[in-house]
């Protein structure tokens, strides 16, 4: 590629420490112009997409179980650390052999000013989403020793809200659009507008430092693209008739690859994938990435779609992240939440995993009985014609209005996941622990899946952490609480039986939660036990740093 320009390149976004193992790491950056990017004497050229410039630096030669401060140089000039930011040095912490592991889990983070907490009086204010829990964790980390920090942050979906952007983002979107584009400014349209949302979400001082210091793994959910994305085949047909949807979906894939998926991959996987190498070898990679994204669009909803699931090893913990949004299959007799080839790769990764195993799915696999039965009933009437044509139409309306597309709405996939859990538990040497980590539903809990309690091996736990920042308003919270009550469960069971749906309820034993305020969960993998700790973020009484209040703690495993 050609590197030119008279002005010194500047750091636009990042650095983000995306991946780290015993001796290497990857650092992601966005910069203002084409240049060479250097971190710890390792360099790489930038690549260009839609006039923006990015790089993923593969840092090698690190020592295991060490903490190494780093700087970022662009064209030989140091641009990070930023002297104008009052944050500690950014560091890379490599993995040791037997060190404890802390996984910080969360999902659903709406961008808005920190200083606008949710109150009843502000219920109609679009910025009143509560205190940002990621911000609260970053502020606490700044006062801690590195050994107390999370080993990795798992973002389980909805890193941005492409269909519900903040008032500030809407203003910027309106300023750049032509009058002829008939689209609500709360919904992004193209790559540049997706990029604006990522900048809004990741550029604030404290969170930017956290992301430069703690590795992250991410998976998209619907709001990273649009609400109810790929919820059903009829939804896909309806969206195909929308004149702006092809551009929005194509550019959504492009932005997801650049800002999220690229950093999920190890150096070896990057080499095997080859797409980054293609982009690095041309002056402008826009058309290469756009062609890739168009293939993703064409294959969406079929068994031949792109794979976004990935696996990461952190100490004694194997994190298997499952794409249950893009890889859905609607073109066969059975609806699948994960396409067959991708599911086979997930099963293989699970078979190879030792020690602690964490499955990350943006959508919960195991839901409370009432919500589970509601999904079963809806799938029966909307996809299996249990109540005939009128029931199918009713079911589709309810499915879209209530977002009934979690794992129980895909019976074959739900059963396959249960079979995988049973197979792992019955291995001659089973995993030390099995956790299914999820988000999406805007309330959090930790629950033992009692359906596996009688088999050998460790208990299976469903842990949900949602939202990081997007607290439900009282009316929504009340409806969700009703669904969790005994009465709500009985009503859902009656509906399920009326549709002749099979009883596949997992029988959750909820031991922490439900928690409805903004929160994140810390999974502490220690030498003797695994503990899940839920912490909610609130405004500080002094008006300074936010508070993190522990609201739930439960032991998931004892060695």
């Amino acid at each position: 590629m050609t590197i030119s320009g008279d002005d010194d390149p500047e750091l636009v976004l990042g650095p983000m420490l995306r991946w780290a193992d015993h001796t290497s790491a990857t650092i992601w950056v966005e910069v203002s112009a084409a240049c060479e990017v250097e971190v710890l004497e390792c360099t790489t050229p930038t690549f260009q997409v839609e006039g923006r410039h990015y790089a993923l630096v593969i840092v090698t030669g690190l020592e295991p179980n060490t903490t190494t401060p780093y700087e970022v140089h662009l064209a030989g000039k140091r641009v990070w650390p930023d002297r104008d930011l009052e944050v500690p040095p950014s560091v890379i912490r490599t993995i040791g052999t037997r060190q404890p592991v802390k996984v910080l889990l969360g999902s659903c983070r709406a961008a808005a000013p920190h200083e606008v907490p949710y109150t009843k009086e502000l219920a109609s204010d679009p910025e009143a989403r509560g205190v940002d829990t990621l911000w609260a964790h970053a502020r606490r980390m700044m006062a801690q020793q590195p050994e107390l920090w999370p080993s990795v942050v798992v973002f389980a979906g909805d890193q941005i809200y492409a269909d519900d952007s903040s008032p500030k983002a809407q203003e910027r979107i309106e300023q750049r659009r032509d009058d002829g584009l008939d689209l609500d400014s709360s919904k992004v349209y193209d790559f540049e507008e997706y990029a604006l949302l990522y900048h809004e979400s990741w550029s604030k001082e404290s969170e930017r430092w956290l992301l430069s210091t703690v590795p992250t793994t991410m998976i998209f959910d619907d709001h990273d693209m649009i609400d109810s994305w790929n919820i059903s085949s009829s939804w896909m047909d309806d969206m195909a008739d929308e004149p702006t949807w092809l551009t929005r979906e194509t550019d959504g894939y492009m932005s997801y690859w650049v800002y999220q998926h690229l950093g999920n991959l190890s150096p070896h996987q990057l080499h095997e994938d080859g797409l980054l190498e293609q982009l690095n070898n041309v002056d402008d990679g826009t058309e290469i990435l756009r062609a890739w994204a168009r293939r993703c669009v064409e294959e969406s909803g079929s068994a031949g779609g792109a794979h976004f699931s990935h696996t990461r090893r952190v100490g004694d913990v194997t994190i298997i992240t499952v794409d249950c949004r893009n890889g859905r299959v609607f073109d066969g007799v059975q609806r699948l939440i994960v396409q067959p080839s991708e599911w086979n790769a997930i099963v293989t990764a699970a078979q190879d995993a030792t020690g602690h195993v964490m499955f990350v799915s943006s959508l919960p696999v195991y839901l409370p009985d009432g919500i589970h039965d509601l999904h079963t009933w809806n799938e029966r009437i909307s996809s299996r014609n249990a109540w005939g044509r009128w029931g199918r139409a009713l079911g589709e309306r309810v499915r879209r209005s209530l977002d009934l597309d979690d794992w129980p709405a895909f019976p074959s996939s739900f059963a396959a996941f249960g079979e995988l859990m049973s197979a792992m538990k019955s291995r001659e040497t089973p995993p030390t622990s099995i956790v299914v980590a999820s988000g999406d539903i805007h309330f959090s809990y930790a629950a033992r899946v009692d359906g596996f309690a009688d088999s050998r091996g460790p208990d299976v736990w469903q842990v949900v952490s949602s939202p990081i920042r997007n607290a439900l308003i009282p009316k929504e919270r009340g409806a969700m609480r009703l669904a969790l009550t005994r009465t709500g469960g009985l009503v859902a069971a009656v509906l399920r039986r009326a549709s002749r749906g099979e009883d596949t309820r997992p029988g959750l034993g909820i031991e922490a939660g439900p928690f409805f305020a903004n929160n994140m969960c810390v999974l502490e993998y220690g030498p003797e036990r695994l503990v899940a700790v839920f912490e909610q973020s609130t405004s500080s009484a002094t008006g300074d740093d936010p508070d993190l209040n522990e609201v739930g703690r439960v032991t998931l495993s004892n060695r």
Side-chain angles (χ1 to χ4, degrees):
M1 64 169 289
T2 302
I3 297 177
S4 62
D6 297 329
D7 297 331
D8 289 336
E10 298 177 353
L11 186 63
V12 175
L13 187 62
M16 295 178 67
L17 172 59
R18 290 303 315 274
W19 186 90
D21 66 1
H22 297 81
T23 59
S24 59
T26 62
I27 303 289
W28 180 97
V29 295
E30 180 178 349
V31 301
S32 62
C35 64
E36 291 280 345
V37 182
E38 178 183 341
V39 178
L40 294 175
E41 300 183 347
C42 298
T43 62
T44 192
T46 56
F47 63 90
Q48 181 179 178
V49 175
E50 289 288 359
R52 289 179 174 268
H53 302 270
Y54 308 92
L56 188 75
V57 183
I58 299 175
V59 180
T60 58
L62 302 171
E63 294 293 328
N65 199 22
T66 57
T67 299
T68 305
Y70 71 90
E71 299 176 348
V72 178
H73 294 78
L74 304 182
K77 177 183 176 181
R78 195 187 80 165
V79 295
W80 185 269
D82 187 332
R83 292 185 179 90
D84 295 332
L85 301 182
E86 297 181 358
V87 297
S90 298
V91 300
I92 299 172
R93 290 173 299 148
T94 53
I95 297 170
T97 53
R98 293 185 173 274
Q99 66 189 116
V101 172
K102 284 187 178 181
V103 178
L104 180 58
L105 169 69
S107 70
C108 308
R109 182 169 178 259
H114 295 143
E115 62 271 14
V116 185
Y118 173 80
T119 65
K120 187 175 182 180
E121 291 74 21
L122 290 173
S124 61
D125 187 338
E127 295 186 348
R129 312 262 182 134
V131 176
D132 186 345
T133 316
L134 187 66
W135 174 48
H137 273 279
R139 298 303 297 175
R140 183 170 71 182
M141 281 176 56
M142 290 179 180
Q144 293 177 323
Q145 294 299 313
E147 57 266 22
L148 298 177
W149 296 347
S151 309
V152 63
V153 182
V154 172
F155 290 112
D158 294 342
Q159 280 66 258
I160 59 171
Y161 279 76
D163 58 331
D164 185 20
S165 56
S166 73
K168 184 180 293 186
Q170 291 180 42
E171 290 178 10
R172 296 184 66 184
I173 288 170
E174 289 171 354
Q175 291 171 0
R176 68 174 296 271
R177 280 188 179 172
D178 297 330
D179 294 337
L181 184 59
D182 184 19
L183 186 65
D184 185 347
S185 62
S186 67
K187 298 177 175 61
V188 301
Y189 172 65
D190 58 12
F191 185 91
E192 178 65 21
E193 294 179 4
Y194 280 105
L196 290 176
L197 297 192
Y198 284 109
H199 280 244
E200 183 179 45
S201 184
W202 293 345
S203 62
K204 289 188 171 61
E205 178 178 294
S206 300
E207 297 93 302
R208 186 178 184 181
W209 171 79
L210 182 152
L211 295 171
S212 75
T213 300
V214 182
T216 51
T217 180
M218 309 175 182
I219 192 66
F220 48 16
D221 200 22
D222 55 343
H223 291 287
D224 295 89
M225 191 79 74
I226 188 176
D227 187 26
S228 301
W229 181 38
N230 290 351
I231 196 170
S232 66
S233 58
S234 65
W235 180 91
M236 296 181 72
D237 291 341
D238 291 345
M239 292 304 294
D241 294 333
E242 293 286 336
T244 62
W245 176 236
L246 179 59
T247 297
R248 292 163 66 192
E249 189 176 24
T250 302
D251 286 32
Y253 276 111
M254 293 172 66
S255 67
Y256 176 72
W257 186 88
V258 169
Y259 285 93
Q260 295 196 50
H261 186 64
L262 175 59
N264 289 331
L265 304 179
S266 71
H268 176 71
Q269 291 167 330
L270 288 167
H271 176 72
E272 284 191 331
D273 178 74
L275 185 52
L276 176 61
E277 184 177 353
Q278 293 180 53
L279 299 180
N280 279 332
N281 288 332
V282 296
D283 287 338
D284 187 345
T286 301
E287 289 310 311
I288 292 175
L289 191 59
R290 186 172 299 281
W292 168 87
R294 284 174 178 156
R295 290 194 297 272
C296 292
V297 171
E298 292 168 359
E299 296 167 349
S300 183
S302 71
H307 291 193
F308 293 103
S309 299
H310 53 277
T311 301
R312 183 175 300 197
R313 182 80 173 180
V314 183
D316 196 29
V317 183
T318 299
I319 302 173
I320 302 173
T321 302
V322 180
D323 166 27
C324 61
R325 180 61 67 176
N326 161 78
R328 299 179 175 191
V329 178
F330 300 120
D331 59 1
V333 176
Q334 295 179 322
R335 300 166 68 248
L336 301 175
I337 201 169
V338 181
Q339 57 183 309
S341 60
E342 192 159 8
W343 180 248
N344 290 337
I346 291 164
V347 171
T348 299
Q351 292 171 339
D352 294 340
T354 58
H356 298 279
V357 181
M358 173 188 291
F359 294 90
V360 178
S361 165
S362 63
L363 301 174
V365 179
Y366 298 111
L367 292 159
D369 287 351
I371 301 177
H372 179 98
D373 270 347
L374 194 61
H375 280 78
T376 302
W377 160 77
N378 185 262
E379 195 274 340
R380 290 285 303 167
I381 68 170
S382 56
S383 300
R384 304 296 180 93
N385 289 318
W387 287 2
R389 182 179 298 177
W390 75 271
R392 188 181 185 93
L394 169 66
E396 186 63 21
R397 286 198 300 272
V398 173
R399 171 189 277 164
R400 296 192 193 184
S401 63
L402 298 183
D403 287 336
L404 297 179
D405 64 336
D406 297 332
W407 283 75
F410 298 80
S412 296
S413 296
F414 180 79
F417 199 98
E419 292 167 2
L420 177 58
M421 297 301 99
S422 296
M424 293 181 68
K425 285 168 61 65
S426 62
R427 280 170 19 185
E428 183 175 345
T429 304
T432 307
S433 69
I434 301 175
V435 172
V436 184
S438 305
D440 179 69
I441 55 179
H442 293 261
F443 69 90
S444 302
Y445 61 87
R448 181 185 287 107
V449 185
D450 291 338
F452 300 107
D454 295 334
S455 58
R456 58 175 288 187
D459 290 330
V460 176
W461 286 84
Q462 173 73 69
V463 176
V464 176
S465 182
S466 167
I468 297 174
R469 188 177 199 264
N470 201 0
L472 297 175
I473 63 175
K475 184 167 113 176
E476 296 169 333
R477 191 177 301 192
M480 195 66 76
R481 285 191 183 277
L482 176 61
L484 296 171
T485 63
R486 178 177 174 81
T487 299
L490 289 173
V491 171
V494 168
L495 289 171
R496 189 250 308 158
R497 294 189 190 104
S499 66
R500 300 184 300 280
E502 183 181 355
D503 184 0
T504 57
R505 293 174 295 181
L508 294 189
I510 296 181
E511 297 197 17
F515 308 118
F516 288 89
N518 292 338
N519 72 92
M520 295 184 78
C521 179
V522 180
L523 292 149
E524 300 178 348
Y525 291 86
E528 296 181 354
R529 61 178 56 86
L530 164 59
V531 177
V533 181
F534 292 89
E535 295 175 300
Q536 292 180 352
S537 53
T538 59
S539 297
S540 171
T542 63
D544 298 324
D545 286 346
D547 290 330
L548 275 172
N549 303 304
E550 183 179 316
V551 294
R553 177 183 290 263
V554 58
T555 299
L556 308 186
S557 173
N558 288 299
R559 284 183 181 267

